[in-house]
Amino acid sequence: MAAAQGRFSDGADGVDSAKESSVPLPFKRAVDGLTKARLRPGIEIDPTRPPQRLAPYAYALEAAVVEGEEDLADGRLILLHDPAGHEAWHGTFRLVTLVRAELEPEMAADPLLPEVSWSWLTGALEARGLAYGEASGTVTRASSHYFGGLSARRPATQIEIRASWTPREGVGGVPDTAAHLAAWCELLCQVAGLEPVQPADTAVVSLPQRRGPHHP
């Protein structure tokens, strides 16, 4: 996948050194932390355009769990930052995610799937000793049945997890974004049907930077 590149919430391209210098240092460090995450093999990850107007500063990554030529699961992780703080976040940073995958029939039929899926996220965060707050989200299971010219296709069930949480800030007001990204990738792998791994079992996979974050 391509190297990581910083963007702010309007998705403007190009680097203006004067504008870049006005970017809050905690946000710069938080984005830099995303390039140092410890990720397990089989995950392809790339920067993408962040949504607009959610926060003064935003950075987004998209990822997929790949096996051969098949994507087993895909998702998006967005880092938001408001230096003034946000009442609903109870902090200055927020992580927002969307994860999707097609399920095997046995997993799709499990009545506890929504609760289990949510526990994959909280469990991945807690396994890394990450403090977080104000977690919220939805787990949606949708089935598709095909008819007429598509009747040869077997029924399929998709799961979609939408979630957000406030990472607790550490030294200098910067959350451990590398660890949060690694935990999110673990969620992605579990949704894809892979066995969970312990944090110490992951290999170091760095995301080389093209350019640093900049301000529109």
Side-chain angles (χ1 to χ4, degrees):
M1 302 290 280
Q5 178 177 354
R7 291 196 181 98
F8 284 89
S9 55
D10 73 343
D13 292 321
V15 174
D16 183 317
S17 58
K19 291 180 178 179
E20 185 176 357
S21 66
S22 67
V23 175
L25 184 58
F27 181 69
K28 286 184 179 180
R29 289 177 173 171
V31 171
D32 184 60
L34 293 173
T35 71
K36 297 178 173 62
R38 300 175 63 89
L39 309 181
R40 59 190 285 179
I43 298 175
E44 296 186 356
I45 193 164
D46 203 13
T48 188
R49 184 180 297 273
Q52 301 182 30
R53 295 181 291 276
L54 289 182
Y57 304 95
Y59 181 85
L61 293 168
E62 59 184 3
V65 179
V66 180
E67 186 176 80
E69 297 297 320
E70 183 181 4
D71 286 2
L72 302 180
D74 63 79
R76 195 180 196 205
L77 183 68
I78 304 165
L79 175 68
L80 303 176
H81 179 55
D82 186 341
H86 194 291
E87 182 179 356
W89 302 353
H90 289 184
T92 63
F93 284 92
R94 188 75 171 171
L95 285 162
V96 181
T97 185
L98 166 66
V99 171
R100 299 169 298 196
E102 185 170 325
L103 299 174
E104 294 295 327
E106 297 79 7
M107 183 181 291
D110 189 339
L112 296 178
L113 177 66
E115 290 82 1
V116 171
S117 300
W118 183 256
S119 74
W120 288 338
L121 171 60
T122 58
L125 293 169
E126 291 162 8
R128 287 162 175 78
L130 293 170
Y132 64 94
E134 309 307 317
S136 61
T138 62
V139 178
T140 304
R141 176 171 42 187
S143 297
S144 299
H145 298 264
Y146 301 95
F147 301 93
L150 300 176
S151 59
R153 297 186 182 181
R154 65 186 181 92
T157 301
Q158 295 81 31
I159 186 172
E160 179 181 280
I161 302 172
R162 294 179 180 268
S164 63
W165 65 97
T166 298
R168 289 295 177 240
E169 298 161 15
V171 177
V174 182
D176 187 351
T177 50
H180 281 273
L181 174 58
W184 176 74
C185 287
E186 187 60 36
L187 165 68
L188 198 65
C189 288
Q190 289 194 264
V191 170
L194 303 183
E195 290 295 323
V197 299
Q198 295 300 317
D201 296 334
T202 55
V204 177
V205 179
S206 296
L207 301 177
Q209 291 183 311
R210 294 176 188 159
R211 300 170 180 166
H214 58 275
H215 194 285

